[in-house]
């Protein structure tokens, strides 16, 4: 019986080796025939982890093999994120009435959740009726056709602060945001993104200019997650925020954390070397790398290469650029 089991195991091993050999010797035409016509869905990738491993090992033979291990890991992480279907959900669970001097208004607490991804973090912001009203006017100007059938909760002459009216508006604003987000051109628009992020960014940069780095950092770390979710198709747009976080960490004498966020910003500018943040970012990264005992020569080479291609012009430091944002 032991001999029979040994024979079975040997036969299975030979079949496995044969399968791998067949895969590695497939011609490009065979490979194309075995690939599905549509883009590989996330579900299929999960159901075939062995196939993913083989494809990943095959990809290492591509030009990406020139990347460092860390760059390659970041590359595949971004590829997998793009594969996942990302969807944002908007909830308005509560409100609060604010009385300030001679004004009185309702603040709506908005929770933004991301589904269809491993990222389960949520973003929490507050907006008042006039903020929604301004957003609606701005969108009507730019997207009159798309906004044609979008209804907006109207103000009433009396009873704006009754529990019944507030609850009705809570539900109406939740549906309003979900409807706006369902329209591609609107959810990618600067006006929609600004509605969800600009007030917090203005406050954070105000703190940064005032030297309140701890408070600025706290706000920036909250808003960067929402910014990244909203601008997934345009990763360069979050570079200023990443650099502001970097500046805060540096001035708070956290060089390791500053370098970490600098790497994130630099990875988004690898093919955008003409970006106004590129050279100041490189200079700051070189300083931090030297301080931390990391490799700064490769960064220095990139900087020298950039300088050789560009005319010498007055360039702001990273901090000077950061304090000029949202002025």
């Amino acid at each position: 019986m032991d001999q029979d089991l040994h024979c079975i195991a040997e036969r299975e091993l030979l079949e496995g080796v044969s399968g791998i050999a067949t895969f590695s010797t497939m011609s490009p035409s065979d490979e194309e025939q075995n690939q599905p016509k549509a883009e590989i869905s996330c579900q299929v990738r999960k159901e075939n982890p062995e196939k993913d491993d083989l494809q990943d090992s095959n990809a290492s033979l591509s030009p990406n093999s020139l990347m460092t291990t860390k760059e390659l890991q970041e590359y595949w992480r971004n590829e997998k994120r793009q594969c996942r279907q990302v969807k944002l959900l908007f909830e308005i669970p509560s409100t609060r009435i604010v009385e300030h001097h001679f004004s009185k208004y309702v603040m709506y607490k908005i929770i933004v959740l991301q589904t269809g991804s491993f990222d389960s973090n949520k973003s929490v912001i507050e907006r008042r009726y006039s903020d929604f009203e301004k957003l609606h006017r701005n969108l009507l100007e730019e997207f009159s056709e798309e906004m044609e059938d979008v209804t907006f909760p109207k103000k009433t002459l009396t009873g704006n602060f009754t529990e019944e009216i507030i609850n009705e508006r809570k539900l109406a604003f939740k549906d309003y945001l979900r409807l706006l987000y369902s329209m591609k051109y609107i959810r990618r628009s600067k006006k929609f993104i600004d509605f969800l992020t600009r007030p917090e960014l203005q406050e954070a940069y105000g703190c940064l200019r005032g030297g309140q780095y701890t408070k600025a950092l706290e706000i920036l770390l909250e808003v960067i997650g929402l910014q990244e979710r909203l601008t997934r198709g345009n990763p360069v747009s979050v570079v200023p925020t990443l650099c502001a976080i970097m500046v805060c960490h540096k001035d708070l004498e956290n060089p390791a954390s500053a370098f970490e966020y600098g790497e994130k910003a630099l990875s988004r500018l690898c093919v955008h070397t003409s970006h106004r943040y590129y050279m100041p970012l490189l200079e700051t990264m070189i300083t931090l790398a030297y301080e931390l005992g990391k490799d700064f020569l490769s960064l220095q080479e990139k900087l020298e290469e950039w300088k050789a291609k560009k005319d010498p012009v007055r360039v702001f430091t990273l901090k000077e650029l950061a304090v000029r944002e949202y002025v």
Side-chain angles (χ1 to χ4, degrees):
M1 184 180 238
D2 290 341
Q3 188 173 0
D4 290 342
L5 290 171
H6 178 73
C7 290
I8 291 170
E10 189 177 48
R11 186 164 60 251
E12 289 177 349
L13 179 61
L14 287 171
E15 287 174 355
V17 171
S18 174
I20 294 172
T22 301
F23 178 86
S24 62
T25 57
M26 279 172 63
S27 67
S29 59
D30 291 335
E31 215 170 309
E32 288 170 7
Q33 289 170 5
N34 281 276
Q35 288 293 328
K37 298 289 183 185
E39 189 174 303
I40 300 174
S41 69
C42 305
Q43 185 178 357
V44 172
R45 289 180 69 87
K46 288 179 182 176
E47 291 172 358
N48 297 279
E50 298 85 2
K51 187 174 180 181
D52 277 355
D53 292 340
L54 287 171
Q55 287 174 338
D56 288 354
S57 63
N58 237 15
S60 66
L61 300 176
S62 71
N64 293 330
S65 59
L66 299 176
M67 297 179 179
T68 64
T69 303
K70 191 166 187 177
E71 288 172 335
L72 196 58
Q73 288 173 341
E74 183 67 22
Y75 172 80
W76 281 112
R77 195 176 294 118
N78 290 334
E79 286 293 308
K80 288 175 181 177
R81 281 175 184 167
Q82 289 174 8
C83 174
R84 294 180 175 89
Q85 182 184 0
V86 176
K87 183 180 180 183
L88 296 184
L89 298 178
F90 298 88
E91 299 291 341
I92 304 182
S94 61
T95 60
R96 63 187 179 95
I97 296 175
V98 178
E99 295 190 53
H100 184 67
H101 297 305
F102 298 105
S103 64
K104 183 179 180 182
Y105 53 88
V106 179
M107 292 293 287
Y108 296 86
K109 181 179 180 180
I110 305 168
I111 297 179
V112 188
L113 299 167
Q114 179 174 315
T115 62
S117 172
F118 59 89
D119 186 359
S120 59
N121 293 334
K122 64 182 180 181
S123 300
V124 182
I125 58 176
E126 282 189 320
R127 297 293 180 267
R128 55 188 290 188
Y129 183 94
S130 59
D131 296 323
F132 282 97
E133 198 173 33
K134 182 181 177 182
L135 169 66
H136 192 69
R137 284 198 310 269
N138 290 338
L139 292 176
L140 280 173
E141 290 176 6
E142 189 174 347
F143 304 100
S144 55
E145 189 176 334
E146 290 87 346
M147 296 290 292
E148 194 174 22
D149 298 321
V150 178
T151 57
F152 186 81
K154 300 295 182 184
K155 265 188 177 178
T156 58
L157 293 175
T158 58
N160 285 301
F161 300 100
T162 63
E163 187 177 351
E164 182 183 358
I165 293 294
I166 290 174
N167 284 333
E168 282 179 6
R169 283 188 182 157
K170 232 175 30 169
L171 294 173
F173 281 140
K174 181 177 77 170
D175 291 339
Y176 177 74
L177 289 174
R178 287 180 175 180
L179 181 56
L180 294 182
Y181 185 76
S182 70
M183 293 182 273
K184 182 174 70 173
Y185 293 110
I186 289 180
R187 72 169 173 263
R188 292 180 180 178
S189 70
K190 185 178 184 300
K191 289 172 180 175
F192 182 71
I193 294 170
D194 278 353
F195 167 77
L196 293 167
T197 60
R198 190 176 181 86
E200 286 72 24
L201 287 170
Q202 285 178 321
E203 183 184 358
Y205 280 100
C207 292
L208 195 158
R209 281 189 288 274
Q212 301 174 26
Y213 302 116
T214 301
K215 180 63 176 174
L217 183 60
E218 180 185 334
I219 300 169
L220 289 167
L221 290 174
E222 283 288 329
V223 78
I224 186 65
L226 180 55
Q227 252 192 317
E228 287 177 327
R229 294 180 181 98
L230 291 166
T231 61
R232 190 168 291 272
N234 182 23
V236 176
S237 61
V238 301
V239 166
T241 307
L242 289 170
C243 289
I245 292 173
M246 185 183 178
V247 167
C248 289
H249 275 305
K250 188 173 183 295
D251 283 357
L252 289 169
E253 298 183 356
N254 299 323
S257 297
F259 190 83
E260 177 189 347
Y261 279 91
E263 284 185 314
K264 291 179 181 180
L266 200 57
S267 70
R268 287 161 169 80
L269 294 181
C270 58
V271 292
H272 300 278
T273 57
S274 60
H275 195 282
R276 61 197 172 97
Y277 271 85
Y278 184 71
M279 185 177 171
L281 177 58
L282 272 178
E283 289 178 332
T284 307
M285 288 290 285
I286 291 167
T287 302
L288 290 169
Y290 184 79
E291 182 181 346
L292 294 167
K294 294 180 178 288
D295 170 36
F296 63 90
L297 293 178
S298 59
L299 294 168
Q300 186 71 47
E301 286 174 7
K302 288 180 181 178
L303 182 61
E304 295 302 326
E305 182 183 344
W306 186 91
K307 286 180 177 179
K309 291 179 180 178
K310 301 286 181 181
D311 295 329
V313 291
R314 162 106 164 75
V315 176
F316 292 110
T317 66
L318 196 67
K319 187 172 182 178
E320 286 173 339
L321 276 179
V323 298
R324 281 168 168 76
E325 298 283 348
Y326 294 91
V327 175

